[in-house]
Amino acid sequence: HTEVMEKEKRENTNITADEFEPDVNGDCAGYIKGNHSSSGDYIYHVPKGNYYLVTKAEICFKTEEAAIEAGFRKSQR
C-alpha cells in the first residue's frame, strides 16, 4: 500500500519526475535544493553553490531546467 500512497501524494502535489521531496533533514542527496527565501522568492541551490550545504530544501530537483520550469531562480551565490 505504500506505493499507492506515494503515487497519490505525488499526484496531489503536482511533483514531476524531475522533482522529489527532501529527506527529513532537508537534504537532496547531492541534487538541486529548492526553497523559499526570506523575501518570498523561490530559489534553487546547486551542489557547488555557496549556500548549498546550509540550505534546508523544501523540494529537490534533478536538473536546473526542472527548477526553472517550477518557477525557481538560481541562487546568486
Side-chain angles (χ1 to χ4, degrees):
H1 299 345
T2 303
E3 292 176 17
V4 173
M5 291 174 64
E6 286 298 317
K7 181 180 177 189
E8 288 176 1
K9 188 174 184 181
R10 283 192 304 273
E11 290 172 354
N12 292 334
T13 58
N14 297 322
I15 293 178
T16 70
D18 289 328
E19 302 172 17
F20 59 97
E21 292 187 23
D23 66 17
V24 296
N25 298 315
D27 190 34
C28 294
Y31 286 96
I32 297 165
K33 296 179 178 181
N35 69 354
H36 293 90
S37 70
S38 58
S39 63
D41 292 337
Y42 292 90
I43 299 175
Y44 70 88
H45 302 269
V46 295
K48 293 187 179 186
N50 290 344
Y51 295 108
Y52 185 83
L53 293 177
V54 297
T55 298
K56 185 172 181 178
E58 296 171 3
I59 190 162
C60 304
F61 298 98
K62 292 182 180 177
T63 65
E64 287 191 62
E65 291 79 14
I68 292 167
E69 286 178 17
F72 287 72
R73 69 167 176 82
K74 188 173 185 174
S75 173
Q76 296 174 350
R77 295 182 182 190

